[in-house]
Amino acid sequence: MEAIFCQNGTETPEAIRAEVSGAIPLWLQGTLLRNGPGLFSIGNTSYNHWFDGMSLIHSFTFKHGDVYYRSKFLRSDTYKKNITANRIVVSEFGTMAYPDPCKNIFSKAFNYMLNIIPDFTDNNIVNIIRYGDDYYTSSEINYINQINPVTLDTIGRVNYRNYIALNLATAHPHYDDEGNTYNMGTAIMALSGPSYVIFKVPAMTSDIKDDKQKNLALENLQKICSIPFSSKLYPSYFHSFGMTENYFIFVEQPLKLDIIRLATAYFRGITWGKCLNYDQHGVTLFHIINRKTGVVVKTKFYGDAFVVFHHINAYEEDGHVVFDLITYKDSSLYDLFYIDNMKQDAETFTKMSKDFSPPVCQRFVIPVSADLKENPLDKNIVTLEDTSATAVLQKDGSLYCTPETLFHGLELPGINYHYNGKKYRYFYGSMMEWSPQANKIAKVDTSTKTHLEWTEEDYYPSEPKFVASPGAVDEDDGVILSSVISVNPEKPSFMLVLDAKTFQEIARASINGSVHLDLHGLFIPQESELK
């Protein structure tokens, strides 16, 4: 497993042309940007967790049937400090740099007392976010880094707190058809009280596209609403949220961040990853927020305890809000990615991983328009006929919700984004079969509960991204793109292009160079600034 996940990646700073076999559709014009950890040791020091590695950004540019690849490390402040010191000097999710040679213990302690949530890092390894006409690497902290999407050069670090009071923010925003971006974060020190915050970054209206004019879109950031913590010292961890035409969906799960433990983490010698606690006996709260007014629906909607990282999609139907999630029975997935676990041989790692909670794709249905006064207690009031999800009225006026299971064993979900917030049928993702010989990507049909797979021996495909065909009518009319990493030194890594309808390969673009496993990204069509 170490050869795949834990070895240091290398840069390909100048674009190289891939060797294409098959036929890439000529209409496929644009750039797929990808982000993920790629540097796991610096000098004589190494990271403890896979999510700690320094960000390595990849681009695959599709132009007239050809594919061009390049990659560069994100030049974050964290990266520059570590490289200058030739050792890890900035703490990450699972690695505490202690003591920090850049500061003496007294200045470090003073900084921690001033900041309830300390600034561990600006290493953004998770995703690429578009705000206006600008692109940023992101993770779950208050910093993002602006990049040039063509050269992959780092333009500079941006602090959310210059625009809105946030300590943490998600790496999975939503976009609407007008080009606006919606995101969500956690405000622990807000004057109005600790809360979860949803905000909007409007589409750019200026024609200025000079790197010197930084963060123009963020200057117009608008706060939509605040949702108070259900427990003031224990905010819920969240990685994504849902959005329909009229609502936001926030899942406040019983995986909590212990604020006091985090504030004293430096003195305890522990990382913020160890400040997350899961209450298996707790409840999961579902907050439904009106997009136009920012008002939270007053009814309490809740379900049993689970952990969620990724939303698949959400939509409205006949007075119901329907939202699909990837759920886990506990938070053990994070432990799976500690480097010591991943360095085990494939057979041991596969055997060990079976003890961890597997992902389950589940659908929740909330009857937001139901008249609760007219419904009896202890009866399911979901009236949609094509789901087994329930919502049962309780004595206190709340609704207890149970899900319908759509699929087992899939993560990193994606859809045809034209259907985001709308009723849809298909989603795509990586199948979590922890073996270097059997990793797969899949297309799931939520209507028939069937799926199609792609797999090839000696390869690990990354998160699949859907790109629609021009003038597409059918939801699955388009292609699936996935960066596929070879675990066999005799075989090259490649960009995979599948027909989204049949899930059959129509082309691959082999890379004569180093390509590293990544996490998330986005596709920028040619009509944007990448022309």
Side-chain angles (χ1 to χ4, degrees):
M1 300 298 295
E2 181 178 5
I4 308 165
F5 292 103
C6 309
Q7 289 185 349
N8 287 343
T10 58
E11 293 182 311
T12 304
E14 300 299 326
I16 59 174
R17 184 176 176 178
E19 182 179 342
V20 175
S21 58
I24 293 175
L26 294 180
W27 59 259
L28 184 60
Q29 304 283 318
T31 296
L32 177 65
L33 293 179
R34 304 291 302 169
N35 192 5
L39 187 66
F40 300 93
S41 62
I42 301 169
N44 295 321
T45 60
S46 298
Y47 289 111
N48 298 327
H49 200 279
W50 193 68
F51 293 159
D52 296 344
M54 294 288 94
S55 167
L56 180 59
I57 311 164
H58 313 261
S59 70
F60 299 86
T61 298
F62 298 83
K63 188 175 183 180
H64 308 307
D66 289 321
V67 179
Y68 300 86
Y69 172 77
R70 78 167 79 207
S71 64
K72 287 184 182 178
F73 287 109
L74 177 70
R75 263 55 175 188
S76 62
D77 283 12
T78 295
Y79 175 91
K80 289 183 283 190
K81 288 177 182 178
N82 288 341
I83 295 302
T84 298
N86 194 34
R87 57 166 289 164
I88 297 168
V89 297
V90 180
S91 299
E92 298 290 342
F93 172 85
T95 304
M96 175 63 78
Y98 184 90
D100 185 343
C102 293
K103 297 181 180 180
N104 64 49
I105 191 168
F106 299 105
S107 65
K108 189 71 173 179
F110 184 68
N111 177 68
Y112 268 68
M113 287 186 287
L114 288 178
N115 295 279
I116 296 297
I117 298 297
D119 295 329
F120 282 131
T121 178
D122 67 340
N123 176 35
N124 305 130
I125 64 155
V126 179
N127 203 1
I128 308 290
I129 291 179
R130 174 177 58 79
Y131 286 130
D133 292 333
D134 301 324
Y135 295 88
Y136 299 84
T137 57
S138 63
S139 48
E140 296 176 331
I141 49 182
N142 59 291
Y143 292 117
I144 51 179
N145 273 278
Q146 187 179 359
I147 62 169
N148 183 312
V150 178
T151 65
L152 305 187
D153 290 338
T154 304
I155 296 173
R157 186 172 80 170
V158 176
N159 191 342
Y160 275 122
R161 293 205 290 257
N162 291 335
Y163 308 98
I164 188 171
L166 288 179
N167 300 100
L168 306 168
T170 86
H172 289 284
H174 285 284
Y175 308 95
D176 65 20
D177 294 338
E178 286 72 46
N180 302 305
T181 305
Y182 302 85
N183 209 344
M184 186 168 181
T186 303
I188 295 173
M189 300 297 291
L191 295 177
S192 58
S195 61
Y196 311 105
V197 176
I198 298 176
F199 61 92
K200 171 184 175 180
V201 178
M204 287 288 291
T205 56
S206 171
D207 293 329
I208 299 175
K209 293 183 180 180
D210 187 334
D211 284 351
K212 294 180 181 179
Q213 301 292 329
K214 293 182 182 180
N215 318 316
L216 291 176
L218 289 170
E219 294 285 353
N220 297 310
L221 185 150
Q222 303 166 7
K223 179 179 174 181
I224 296 175
C225 72
S226 296
I227 306 166
F229 296 172
S230 60
S231 178
K232 288 187 177 181
L233 293 179
Y234 300 93
S236 175
Y237 168 81
F238 57 97
H239 186 70
S240 60
F241 63 103
M243 186 175 81
T244 69
E245 181 181 357
N246 295 296
Y247 299 101
F248 297 109
I249 300 99
F250 168 51
V251 177
E252 190 175 12
Q253 61 184 330
L255 177 60
K256 305 283 188 176
L257 183 61
D258 187 328
I259 298 301
I260 301 302
R261 186 173 174 85
L262 181 61
T264 59
Y266 178 77
F267 305 103
R268 297 170 181 266
I270 61 173
T271 64
W272 85 267
K274 295 296 185 182
C275 299
L276 288 169
N277 299 310
Y278 175 64
D279 180 8
Q280 63 180 341
H281 303 296
V283 299
T284 302
L285 300 175
F286 306 118
H287 300 282
I288 310 298
I289 305 102
N290 187 297
R291 279 180 59 179
K292 296 178 178 63
T293 65
V295 175
V296 181
V297 175
K298 290 183 178 180
T299 303
K300 176 184 176 181
F301 307 107
Y302 73 100
D304 295 331
F306 62 78
V307 170
V308 56
F309 303 106
H310 295 115
H311 285 241
I312 303 172
N313 196 16
Y315 60 91
E316 299 163 40
E317 184 176 12
D318 295 336
H320 298 74
V321 170
V322 181
F323 53 98
D324 299 341
L325 314 169
I326 309 290
T327 69
Y328 296 82
K329 66 179 182 181
D330 57 40
S331 59
S332 59
L333 179 68
Y334 273 138
D335 294 334
L336 191 65
F337 287 91
Y338 277 98
I339 299 296
D340 285 346
N341 290 333
M342 302 179 75
K343 283 184 176 181
Q344 299 176 97
D345 62 85
E347 182 178 353
T348 303
F349 182 69
T350 302
K351 183 178 179 180
M352 179 199 68
S353 68
K354 292 179 180 178
D355 295 329
F356 289 81
S357 172
V360 181
C361 306
Q362 294 189 314
R363 169 166 293 175
F364 287 86
V365 180
I366 292 183
V368 289
S369 299
D371 186 346
L372 301 186
K373 295 180 181 179
E374 298 297 324
N375 283 279
L377 297 178
D378 301 323
K379 181 181 177 181
N380 176 28
I381 61 174
V382 172
T383 57
L384 297 184
E385 296 181 354
D386 59 349
T387 183
S388 59
T390 69
V392 177
L393 184 62
Q394 307 297 299
K395 290 182 179 180
D396 62 358
S398 64
L399 285 178
Y400 168 62
C401 304
T402 64
E404 170 190 3
T405 296
L406 300 177
F407 193 73
H408 288 272
L410 182 142
E411 250 293 0
L412 306 180
I415 61 170
N416 177 345
Y417 204 76
H418 293 300
Y419 287 78
N420 188 59
K422 304 171 185 176
K423 188 171 183 178
Y424 77 116
R425 180 170 177 175
Y426 305 106
F427 65 89
Y428 312 87
S430 298
M431 294 189 68
M432 305 282 275
E433 297 186 9
W434 300 105
S435 166
Q437 285 76 37
N439 203 28
K440 307 170 183 178
I441 52 177
K443 171 187 179 180
V444 177
D445 186 330
T446 64
S447 178
T448 64
K449 305 297 191 297
T450 60
H451 73 285
L452 301 174
E453 299 178 357
W454 181 93
T455 186
E456 187 169 321
E457 187 176 355
D458 291 335
Y459 284 107
Y460 266 92
S462 68
E463 169 193 60
K465 299 297 289 186
F466 179 94
V467 182
S469 302
V473 175
D474 295 336
E475 181 185 338
D476 58 350
D477 185 357
V479 296
I480 293 295
L481 306 179
S482 177
S483 174
V484 181
I485 308 304
S486 172
V487 299
N488 184 335
E490 302 300 318
K491 298 180 179 181
S493 298
F494 60 91
M495 170 54 58
L496 173 67
V497 184
L498 299 178
D499 183 310
K501 278 184 175 292
T502 65
F503 230 57
Q504 295 298 306
E505 180 177 333
I506 57 177
R508 67 174 62 186
S510 299
I511 311 297
N512 183 21
S514 173
V515 184
H516 213 277
L517 198 68
D518 55 45
L519 283 169
H520 300 291
L522 56 75
F523 183 79
I524 308 173
Q526 185 187 32
E527 59 262 31
S528 72
E529 61 192 64
L530 295 186
K531 287 182 179 178

